[in-house]
Amino acid sequence: MAAAINAVRANCRKVICIGRNYADHIKELNNARPKQPFFFLKPPSSILLPNAGPVLQPRGVIMHYEVELGLVMGKQVKDLDPADTEGAVRAIDSYILAIDMTARNVQDEAKRKGLPWSIAKGFDTFLPISGVIPKSRIPDPHDAELWLSVNGEVRQKDSTGLMLFRIPRQLADISSVMTLEPGDIVLTGTPKGVGKVGAGDVMKAGLSVGGRAIEEAGIEVP
Amino acid sequence: MAAAINAVRANCRKVICIGRNYADHIKELNNARPKQPFFFLKPPSSILLPNAGPVLQPRGVIMHYEVELGLVMGKQVKDLDPADTEGAVRAIDSYILAIDMTARNVQDEAKRKGLPWSIAKGFDTFLPISGVIPKSRIPDPHDAELWLSVNGEVRQKDSTGLMLFRIPRQLADISSVMTLEPGDIVLTGTPKGVGKVGAGDVMKAGLSVGGRAIEEAGIEVP
Ligand SMILES: [Mg+2]
Ligand SMILES: [Mg+2]
Ligand SMILES: [Mg+2]
């Protein structure tokens, strides 16, 4: 299992993250609701493997967690038809759970100044991931429950059924801009409840399907 | 030579681009002069190898060229000291010339709305590159001349000596955020003269040192 997730990091050439994909999360950050999926990149160097230590808080940075369902791509995808649900599912090799760590104050300043988000999203360790979740464990990626706790207190807990843009639409829009390659990771957006963490806080996250926890999806970041 | 540049694309896990690094280019786009280098990511999937065809103009997109000196990293770099000029040079494996194609209208809208630049910068074919330029060909990367022409008319032609932030400072700032890995590409910014190109326009670009053209640096995009 460790070997499998190490391979995910080693084979990853881009991480594409969907922004503002859950309505209640858009409200909590006072953002505008997008008319189409938008996305940004995190560098593969930001991936934090399981049991690889804590998220490192850069000096002066306010760090927010965002738990997200991740797709590990198994096929090249280009100009996918948004109606091609089966094509989208076929292109996915496996799933991961991930925390899209965000330097919120850096991001707020970037937004204000019209600057890119890459720094706010791209620090080393800013992408803790779970083990590899075999595809068979999640029969319907729009019917799973994500949760994240800080120091034992649940902060995010919502169904992936609340996504504004479903996975085929996400892959269609991404792949109309940039070809998805095997090994690429897509993060599908975060539900409400994002917030601050700092040194000493313990984040845990998980995913359940039909009320049953998926063992491989567990994340614990000291 | 083709094998070498194919390997550059195959081994690239992130492309980090410095923005606003030449004073006259900042003026021409009415941008603010940054107090420190800022940067953004292009996906490796945007790389267009030599002789791999034209840049593809997405529908509704105003495309701008930006010629830039690129560094292909040979070593892992983390928290480089900006004063460590030798360390910076040692970390570079080789150079490339590159055109940072930009969907300028998409970028302008992103800036206005505080959205990420990844789409504006990340389309397939939006990163034409030259062949691999051996390090020995550019004894001082701050003393080379870049040029770019459209349909035979020179549009950009300036010395890399005009960079506001030199390469050691760029690598220091990038690596204080994200670890640079072997194979990563750093684009060092574009001089003045950026502008529009469209279907049918032929872009050529090159680099000279001490008045002599470097053969490997030639780019021609039909
Ligand atoms: Mg990338
Ligand atoms: Mg996110
Ligand atoms: Mg540029």
Side-chain angles (χ1 to χ4, degrees), chain A residues 123-197:
Chain A
F123 287 95
D124 287 353
T125 76
F126 264 36
L127 184 52
I129 61 176
S130 71
V132 178
I133 307 169
K135 217 163 147 183
S136 58
R137 298 274 202 199
I138 308 182
D140 178 359
H142 304 106
D143 186 17
E145 194 174 58
L146 308 172
W147 62 267
L148 180 141
S149 71
V150 179
N151 303 326
E153 198 179 297
V154 174
R155 301 286 183 83
Q156 296 190 276
K157 186 175 185 160
D158 261 318
S159 169
T160 55
L162 296 173
M163 288 183 194
L164 296 176
F165 300 105
R166 296 193 154 217
I167 290 166
R169 175 68 193 280
Q170 295 175 33
L171 299 186
D173 275 50
I174 293 168
S175 73
S176 74
V177 173
M178 44 184 90
T179 297
L180 285 161
E181 299 174 329
D184 285 352
I185 293 172
V186 175
L187 302 189
T188 58
T190 197
K192 68 178 180 298
V194 304
K196 221 192 287 193
V197 277

Side-chain angles (χ1 to χ4, degrees), chain A residues 45-174:
Chain A
S45 49
S46 65
I47 293 174
L48 181 67
L49 288 169
N51 308 312
V55 170
L56 301 173
Q57 182 168 18
R59 211 163 8 142
V61 157
I62 295 171
M63 284 199 312
H64 273 204
Y65 53 81
E66 302 186 350
V67 70
E68 315 204 2
L69 177 65
L71 321 174
V72 181
M73 304 307 298
K75 286 193 168 45
Q76 182 179 295
V77 182
K78 204 178 152 50
D79 294 322
L80 182 81
D81 182 335
D84 186 3
T85 305
E86 282 189 19
V89 172
R90 241 183 293 121
I92 298 169
D93 175 79
S94 46
Y95 298 101
I96 52 172
L97 194 66
I99 309 178
D100 171 21
M101 297 301 300
T102 304
R104 193 69 77 199
N105 55 334
V106 178
Q107 186 195 32
D108 286 343
E109 189 185 342
K111 283 183 190 174
R112 225 169 30 239
K113 295 187 173 169
L115 291 173
W117 294 14
S118 307
I119 296 176
K121 292 286 190 175
F123 287 95
D124 287 353
T125 76
F126 264 36
L127 184 52
I129 61 176
S130 71
V132 178
I133 307 169
K135 217 163 147 183
S136 58
R137 298 274 202 199
I138 308 182
D140 178 359
H142 304 106
D143 186 17
E145 194 174 58
L146 308 172
W147 62 267
L148 180 141
S149 71
V150 179
N151 303 326
E153 198 179 297
V154 174
R155 301 286 183 83
Q156 296 190 276
K157 186 175 185 160
D158 261 318
S159 169
T160 55
L162 296 173
M163 288 183 194
L164 296 176
F165 300 105
R166 296 193 154 217
I167 290 166
R169 175 68 193 280
Q170 295 175 33
L171 299 186
D173 275 50
I174 293 168

Side-chain angles (χ1 to χ4, degrees), chain B residues 9-222:
Chain B
R9 189 190 203 281
N11 295 333
C12 175
R13 283 160 55 92
K14 60 179 176 287
V15 182
I16 308 102
C17 311
I18 305 288
R20 303 180 195 164
N21 202 26
Y22 287 79
D24 289 340
H25 168 60
I26 296 171
K27 273 193 236 159
E28 74 184 350
L29 292 186
N30 290 313
N31 281 321
R33 183 170 172 146
K35 287 197 195 64
Q36 54 188 34
F38 81 84
F39 51 91
F40 56 87
L41 298 166
K42 285 174 95 97
S45 49
S46 65
I47 293 173
L48 181 68
L49 288 169
N51 307 312
V55 170
L56 302 173
Q57 182 169 19
R59 212 166 4 144
V61 157
I62 295 171
M63 284 198 313
H64 272 204
Y65 53 80
E66 302 185 352
V67 71
E68 314 203 5
L69 176 65
L71 322 174
V72 181
M73 303 309 297
K75 284 192 170 45
Q76 183 180 293
V77 182
K78 204 176 153 49
D79 294 322
L80 182 81
D81 182 335
D84 185 4
T85 305
E86 282 189 18
V89 171
R90 240 182 294 120
I92 298 168
D93 175 80
S94 46
Y95 298 100
I96 53 172
L97 194 66
I99 309 178
D100 171 21
M101 298 300 301
T102 304
R104 193 69 77 200
N105 55 334
V106 177
Q107 187 195 32
D108 286 343
E109 189 185 343
K111 284 184 192 172
R112 225 169 27 241
K113 296 186 174 171
L115 290 173
W117 294 16
S118 307
I119 296 175
K121 292 287 190 174
F123 287 95
D124 287 354
T125 76
F126 264 38
L127 184 52
I129 60 176
S130 71
V132 177
I133 308 168
K135 218 162 145 182
S136 58
R137 297 274 203 199
I138 308 182
D140 178 358
H142 304 106
D143 186 16
E145 195 174 59
L146 308 172
W147 62 268
L148 180 142
S149 71
V150 179
N151 303 327
E153 198 179 298
V154 175
R155 301 287 183 82
Q156 296 190 277
K157 187 175 186 160
D158 261 318
S159 169
T160 55
L162 295 174
M163 288 184 195
L164 296 176
F165 300 105
R166 295 194 155 216
I167 290 165
R169 175 69 193 279
Q170 296 175 33
L171 299 186
D173 274 51
I174 293 168
S175 73
S176 74
V177 174
M178 43 184 89
T179 297
L180 285 161
E181 299 173 329
D184 286 351
I185 294 172
V186 175
L187 302 188
T188 58
T190 197
K192 68 178 181 297
V194 304
K196 220 192 290 193
V197 277
D201 286 332
V202 176
M203 288 185 287
K204 292 188 193 182
L207 185 146
S208 60
V209 170
R212 297 181 55 150
I214 305 293
E215 196 189 338
E216 294 89 342
I219 298 181
E220 176 165 354
V221 190

